[in-house]
Amino acid sequence: MTTATTTTYIGTRLQRKEDPRLITGSGLFTDDVTLPGMVYVSLVRSPHAHARIRRIDTSAATKEPGVVAVLTGKDLEATGVLPVFISVPKQSTSKHMPIATDKVRYAGDAVAAVVAETRDAAKRAADAVTVDYEPLPVVVDATKALEPGAPIVNEELGTNLVFTYPVKGGDIDKAFGDAEVKVSLHLVNQRLIANAMEPRSAAAKFEAGELTLWSTTQIPHFVQLIASLNLGLSQNKVRVIAPEVGGGFGSKLQVYAEELLVGHLAKTLGRPVKWTEERREGYLATVHGRDLVGDIEVAAKRDGTILGVRIRTVANMGAYLQAFAPVSATILHAFIIPGPYIIPAFDIEIRGAYTNTTPVDAYRGAGRPEAIYAMERAIDRLADEIGMDPAEVRRKNFIPPDAFPFNTITGITYDSGNYAPALDRALAMADYKGFEKRRAESKGRGNYRGIGISSYVEICGLAPSKANSALGVGWGGYESARIRVHPTGAVQVFTGTSPHGQGHETSWSQIAADALGISPNDIEVRHGDTFESPGMGVGTFGSRSLPVGGIAVHKAAEKIREKVIQIGAHLLEASPDDVVIEGGKVFVKGVPEKAKNFGDVSMAAYVANNLPAGMEPGLEATVYYDPPNFTFPFGTHVAEVEIDGETGAVELVRYSACDDCGRQINPMIVEGQLHGGIAQGIGQALYEGAVYDDNGQLLSGSMMEYHVPTAEDVPAFKLDHTVTLTKTNPLGVKGVGEAGTIGSTPAVVNAVIDALSPLGIKHLDMPLTPEKIWRATLKSKGEGKR
Amino acid sequence: MAQAITVTVNGTKRTKDVEPSQLLVELLRDTLGLTGTHVGCDTSQCGACTVLVDGRATKSCTILAVQTDGAEVVTVEGLAKNGELHPVQRAFASEHALQCGFCTPGLMITAVDFLARNASPSDAEIRHAIEGNLCRCTGYHNIVNAIRSAAAMMTMSAQSKVAAEVKR
């Protein structure tokens, strides 16, 4: 088998193929799909967080002008429950109907759907639906939800406990018994709202027995699968298209009620149907992220050596269990808490709880930001306790480079890693050595200055299908690719990944170009249409697209390359071992003047009257790539802040990050992923937080109350990288979509706490708003009552 | 009661009947089919719907269609002239200032208006100018670079025009 060894295009800053349509306004997003005869859906949503539905009166709504149909939960019972793809041990899974039938379990739970000729008419008629609710006691806080006597959110389960998930390794009692020093922190990892800039939308048409469903989704194939099963359509009659998708960050990693609803309506009404969420509606009815509360304890020696880590955490799952929800709280969280460190003993127990709040699922990083936040805050607490430089505590506990492959205490195997160089380079960029001088200068201005470090390892490349099975994930973690070379030599790559900003059309072209010896400009990458891509694509989430989907493209291109060389050798009357492809020419090594064009060879493959003996005609290859292991990107981020001594406002004065995602296919895209991730992590540290009152009303219910960072809230970022290739895949790529979010949040919080440490402040929970900091500084000065 | 208005959109006069409650963004997207202008929120925070109204960047979800009677509106579809991209469009692509591209039209329009009033802005001025346009993908880093780069391109092109005039 010939292997492509050239990296002509891999590693270059190729301009994005996606951009020409996106900068001219010609890209098609789901809400841009408008069809003749289209009708529009508006949902009636519960104002109560927990209430029994006594009666729904739709008669007035039905009489409103332009109304086509009004549906309640009973009309949709036949479409079945919304899917949960995860089953951890003893999981109690809620029965989540597309529209509530018996009772509502969170403010925003849908109770009826109105279909009308226009958006406005549907909205007006939705206001005319009257629902008689019997309000029930509400539980919002996950810890309280697990106490005896708490209101039960899903009565059929008899409990609010979703799961108890323990992971243990080593002798934790001995670790704490031997400890010279113990530190502990109570940490709130607040609830977040993803706020992808494109609101969710779904449109459908049903023609000649075939359903076409456009959706703002990260997983079109799963939407197709569930739409087929739940709507009673043969899967070959359900085409799901994820056109341009305007960001996801996990919030579009679902099969949502509205997708099934528009499919059902298109099928039953025989008219095209569209639903697009309003942003405030999205705040209630699109999944939220994070929301973990826990205690971390670290046992260590006075020299900074960590002996053991113990964690008890409660994860708020919201009112219903969503498609992948337990994964973020359990697997992607617990297993990666040790990060880059040698942890001899480990003991974690995570409990999931139902509450009367919007359901929670993956949000950029999905479990890993929570894990690294806990560990990195604890490391800083330990450094503070023993009076040691936090950088040195990290360095002391790093897994040394000669220890790989390294089996962690949680039972996973890091194939590769080299953590100290990334730390060193990040510290150098941050001028860590010169910091104390800057701190003194800030003090002279009456301000507090702090510097914070965060070193992480993440777990990407989700996932080996066997590992998925062992962990309770009900579907394999492979990815698919099909490459079709047309007779003329035109190349199309069909990928099972479903990008929504990540630039797969560009990066996949670079990968295929190097394997095929042609230009990326001669390759078209197509995605997000279940009638074009291979039978199953798992989709885009968890920084998996490149280390799984990109490798599938690479392997499919290698198959094509092999066949082109075989045919080329036959036409050139040479041995395949001597034939190469370069610059779109197929020739015997050293004899480029006697070459066949790539297109001549593809034409020969289809003309098929002069092929090597026994070779089948055509030039097409499909690959399902199942990775043998996860990948483990790593890095160190350093944040520096200056806090206004009067107001408590945090200014991020410097941000430096050194990340290692293995080989970079397109460094420009890698940097973009890091910039965006870092900004989102800063958002969690300083600005963002979903807030409920005790009645389950979302107080941060719009962009006016929930602060998505603006250009003035984040600094310019200084980036560097190291390259440690993973041995898990032939390109050595590891994934980078979430690294920024994972590294940044703890770095920023550590910087703020470092700044406030002269006041004796040991910890504050996120978001670190000016008010929170101001109050804390007053309290520490003994002026708390002011 | 619907009323007839005449708006010049991307250089073409359009006369349409609009409802008094119709927003400019609805006229552009639903009536005129110009779907490059996006709706990202309902509280005037995100700026995805920003268009030029008589040269000024305006959130088209916050202005009624009837208010634009007689006005000149430019959307993302009208930024390129004679098949040539606007320097802001070119800079957004070359600096990788967009990922999902949903917020991009609004950000580019804001930048066009801003650069018309400030030809050589500082980074702080750029950040202030775009604080009404949210982007969740890029962390703004490359957007700031793109606007700075577009400013340089536009200054250079203006200077070469002057030089050409002087030569003549």
Side-chain angles (χ1 to χ4, degrees):
Chain A
M1 176 89 189
T2 321
T3 303
T5 49
T6 52
T7 52
T8 309
Y9 297 104
I10 287 176
T12 62
R13 307 172 77 88
L14 189 72
Q15 294 287 292
R16 290 208 326 167
K17 295 180 153 205
E18 292 84 349
D19 291 354
R21 57 181 195 264
L22 293 170
I23 57 172
T24 53
S26 52
L28 182 93
F29 290 85
T30 300
D31 188 52
D32 301 341
V33 175
T34 300
L35 301 168
M38 190 166 242
V39 290
Y40 299 83
V41 180
S42 181
L43 286 155
V44 181
R45 298 189 182 277
S46 168
H48 298 280
H50 199 192
R52 209 164 299 287
I53 301 168
R54 281 204 198 104
R55 207 171 73 88
I56 302 177
D57 185 353
T58 60
S59 54
T62 311
K63 290 181 199 121
E64 285 282 320
V67 168
V68 175
V70 182
L71 286 80
T72 64
K74 287 195 178 64
D75 302 307
L76 274 177
E77 265 177 333
T79 66
V81 296
L82 297 171
V84 178
F85 297 114
I86 310 299
S87 180
V88 297
K90 295 183 190 166
Q91 173 178 306
S92 63
T93 305
S94 55
K95 184 183 170 194
H96 189 177
M97 301 304 293
I99 294 182
T101 50
D102 52 345
K103 69 173 194 175
V104 292
R105 294 170 177 84
Y106 69 97
D109 214 350
V111 290
V114 177
V115 189
E117 299 288 345
T118 67
R119 243 182 254 251
D120 277 351
K123 216 178 149 180
R124 265 199 304 272
D127 288 340
V129 174
T130 51
V131 186
D132 184 8
Y133 294 104
E134 176 195 340
L136 298 169
V138 170
V139 63
V140 169
D141 181 276
T143 306
K144 284 182 186 155
L146 296 179
E147 287 169 2
I152 299 294
V153 179
N154 292 284
E155 282 154 6
E156 72 278 11
L157 302 174
T159 173
N160 289 327
L161 182 67
V162 188
F163 54 76
T164 301
Y165 197 84
V167 178
K168 291 180 187 4
D171 188 341
I172 197 73
D173 293 331
K174 184 174 185 310
F176 276 87
D178 292 349
E180 294 166 5
V181 56
K182 295 174 210 170
V183 293
S184 64
L185 279 168
H186 180 73
L187 298 172
V188 177
N189 204 299
Q190 82 271 35
R191 181 178 284 240
L192 299 174
I193 297 175
N195 278 298
M197 291 316 303
E198 179 201 27
R200 281 198 299 122
S201 180
K205 67 169 182 179
F206 191 73
E207 282 172 8
E210 188 174 297
L211 178 70
T212 306
L213 179 58
W214 290 265
S215 178
T216 53
T217 184
Q218 301 173 225
I219 47 169
H221 283 271
F222 282 106
V223 175
Q224 181 204 26
L225 176 74
I226 300 302
S228 159
L229 295 173
N230 289 27
L231 301 178
L233 290 163
S234 178
Q235 198 173 347
N236 59 310
K237 293 294 177 193
V238 180
R239 176 183 193 176
V240 174
I241 299 172
E244 307 289 355
V245 176
F249 315 111
S251 69
K252 295 170 181 172
L253 174 58
Q254 294 294 331
V255 179
Y256 276 106
E258 294 87 355
E259 290 165 321
L260 299 177
L261 176 63
V262 297
H264 169 82
L265 288 169
K267 186 179 152 211
T268 51
L269 298 173
R271 294 179 67 175
V273 182
K274 182 160 68 179
W275 168 83
T276 300
E277 92 184 351
E278 294 181 39
R279 180 60 69 178
R280 274 175 291 194
E281 182 181 19
Y283 268 62
L284 297 172
T286 292
V287 295
H288 292 176
R290 309 233 159 88
D291 203 343
L292 259 68
V293 176
D295 292 281
I296 180 167
E297 296 170 89
V298 173
K301 291 203 268 188
R302 282 262 155 223
D303 68 357
T305 307
I306 296 171
L307 301 174
V309 174
R310 183 159 52 206
I311 299 178
R312 293 291 178 269
T313 291
V314 177
N316 193 333
M317 297 281 97
Y320 302 101
L321 207 56
Q322 289 291 144
F324 298 93
V327 172
S328 305
T330 61
I331 301 160
L332 290 179
H333 176 221
F335 288 94
I336 204 67
I337 286 172
Y341 310 114
I342 295 174
I343 307 291
F346 186 71
D347 174 9
I348 188 170
E349 186 185 271
I350 305 149
R351 290 182 301 156
Y354 289 115
T355 62
N356 296 115
T357 61
T358 295
V360 176
D361 203 332
Y363 172 63
R364 199 171 191 173
R368 289 152 288 173
E370 298 91 309
I372 301 303
Y373 178 70
M375 197 63 217
E376 290 302 287
R377 281 294 300 123
I379 294 254
D380 263 33
R381 188 69 269 288
L382 173 63
D384 180 52
E385 191 71 20
I386 60 179
M388 193 167 159
D389 181 343
E392 294 316 307
V393 177
R394 286 175 171 83
R395 196 187 304 279
K396 186 168 195 78
N397 289 285
F398 275 165
I399 300 161
D402 58 5
F404 294 91
F406 180 82
N407 296 320
T408 72
I409 194 72
T410 55
I412 51 180
T413 304
Y414 296 171
D415 67 290
S416 58
N418 190 7
Y419 306 134
L423 173 68
D424 291 337
R425 294 170 84 133
L427 293 177
M429 268 192 292
D431 184 25
Y432 190 67
K433 284 189 185 134
F435 171 72
E436 287 305 330
K437 186 164 169 272
R438 299 194 292 278
R439 193 201 294 263
E441 285 165 5
S442 295
K443 197 176 175 189
R445 290 190 287 270
N447 293 341
Y448 311 107
R449 201 176 185 102
I451 195 161
I453 304 169
S454 157
S455 296
Y456 69 89
V457 171
E458 58 162 330
I459 179 167
C460 297
L462 317 176
S465 295
K466 275 187 181 162
N468 268 6
S469 168
L471 293 168
V473 181
W475 200 273
Y478 54 83
E479 196 48 274
S480 61
R482 179 164 75 228
I483 298 183
R484 175 184 299 156
V485 184
H486 293 265
T488 57
V491 178
Q492 283 178 310
V493 175
F494 300 92
T495 175
T497 63
S498 199
H500 37 283
Q502 296 86 344
H504 295 177
E505 291 170 40
T506 310
S507 301
W508 287 194
S509 293
Q510 291 174 261
I511 291 171
D514 274 351
L516 296 175
I518 61 175
S519 162
N521 295 331
D522 296 330
I523 297 169
E524 180 193 24
V525 176
R526 298 179 69 93
H527 53 80
D529 182 339
T530 61
F531 271 17
E532 286 190 348
S533 42
M536 181 69 200
V538 174
T540 288
F541 53 90
S543 306
R544 69 184 302 277
S545 292
L546 176 57
V548 192
I551 300 302
V553 170
H554 172 74
K555 287 187 174 278
E558 295 255 283
K559 281 191 174 180
I560 299 280
R561 178 192 181 85
E562 179 64 20
K563 191 161 179 180
V564 168
I565 282 179
Q566 293 286 341
I567 299 170
H570 180 75
L571 298 177
L572 293 164
E573 298 178 346
S575 160
D577 293 341
D578 299 331
V579 171
V580 293
I581 324 176
E582 278 175 31
K585 305 273 186 195
V586 184
F587 55 92
V588 176
K589 208 178 292 171
V591 199
E593 60 277 8
K594 201 184 148 213
K596 294 281 176 191
N597 286 321
F598 187 82
D600 297 337
V601 177
S602 58
M603 189 62 80
Y606 288 96
V607 172
N609 56 13
N610 185 19
L611 292 175
M615 178 180 280
E616 77 177 44
L619 198 52
E620 197 160 349
T622 302
V623 163
Y624 281 78
Y625 169 69
D626 201 341
N629 190 4
F630 301 92
T631 59
F632 301 96
F634 61 87
T636 291
H637 289 211
V638 182
E640 188 167 329
V641 299
E642 178 156 332
I643 300 173
D644 189 305
E646 290 289 318
T647 66
V650 177
E651 188 192 354
L652 253 171
V653 290
R654 195 167 180 146
Y655 198 98
S656 316
C658 183
D659 297 275
D660 190 322
C661 62
R663 189 189 307 283
Q664 299 190 358
I665 301 300
N666 185 325
M668 178 187 82
I669 290 177
V670 168
E671 289 161 17
Q673 288 295 310
L674 286 165
H675 293 155
I678 292 168
Q680 264 174 308
I682 291 170
Q684 172 163 24
L686 298 181
Y687 307 114
E688 299 180 35
V691 180
Y692 280 96
D693 71 9
D694 290 343
N695 295 319
Q697 294 299 321
L698 183 64
L699 301 179
S700 54
S702 82
M703 280 185 170
M704 295 176 77
E705 295 91 16
Y706 185 100
H707 189 77
V708 175
T710 72
E712 289 196 291
D713 296 324
V714 293
F717 309 115
K718 292 170 82 167
L719 301 185
D720 193 4
H721 61 273
T722 57
V723 178
T724 307
L725 301 180
T726 178
K727 296 172 180 69
T728 301
N729 62 60
L731 293 180
V733 294
K734 300 193 284 199
V736 74
E738 295 155 302
T741 324
I742 294 165
S744 59
T745 307
V748 174
V749 175
N750 281 345
V752 170
I753 302 305
D754 179 56
L756 299 175
S757 63
L759 299 172
I761 292 168
K762 304 292 184 196
H763 179 72
L764 292 173
D765 281 318
M766 304 179 288
L768 297 168
T769 57
E771 183 190 345
K772 195 178 280 176
I773 291 170
W774 178 73
R775 286 188 188 283
T777 56
L778 284 192
K779 199 174 161 192
S780 73
K781 293 176 197 159
E783 301 170 39
K785 281 177 189 157
R786 196 171 88 180
Chain B
M1 265 306 267
Q3 77 180 77
I5 62 165
T6 301
V7 194
T8 304
V9 181
N10 299 331
T12 306
K13 266 197 179 163
R14 313 291 293 261
T15 300
K16 291 282 166 192
D17 283 339
V18 299
E19 293 291 332
S21 64
Q22 196 176 5
L23 300 170
L24 175 59
V25 70
E26 293 167 342
L27 173 73
L28 294 171
R29 285 182 58 81
D30 302 340
T31 311
L32 301 178
L34 294 168
T35 55
T37 301
H38 299 143
V39 179
C41 75
D42 43 14
T43 49
S44 209
Q45 243 77 32
C46 82
C49 66
T50 308
V51 299
L52 293 176
V53 177
D54 290 332
R56 295 307 299 259
T58 305
K59 291 180 177 177
S60 63
C61 73
T62 314
I63 180 170
L64 296 167
V66 292
Q67 289 174 275
T68 61
D69 192 11
E72 208 157 315
V73 173
V74 177
T75 69
V76 64
E77 289 93 341
L79 280 183
K81 291 273 181 290
N82 306 318
E84 198 186 323
L85 294 176
H86 190 283
V88 168
Q89 289 174 300
R90 277 187 278 145
F92 265 65
S94 64
E95 296 291 334
H96 186 35
L98 62 145
Q99 291 181 25
C100 79
F102 191 81
C103 72
T104 309
L107 266 154
M108 291 193 305
I109 294 277
T110 298
V112 167
D113 174 22
F114 170 61
L115 293 177
R117 289 177 288 117
N118 186 345
S120 55
S122 69
D123 283 6
E125 286 171 330
I126 294 172
R127 285 183 183 271
H128 184 65
I130 61 170
E131 62 89 36
N133 290 77
L134 298 178
C135 170
R136 200 57 156 165
C137 293
T138 65
Y140 306 102
H141 184 104
N142 287 345
I143 294 176
V144 175
N145 287 350
I147 295 174
R148 193 194 314 114
S149 157
M153 269 193 252
M154 290 161 75
T155 304
M156 265 170 52
S157 135
Q159 280 168 350
S160 62
K161 262 183 208 158
V162 171
E165 287 290 317
V166 170
K167 252 187 195 170
R168 261 198 310 185

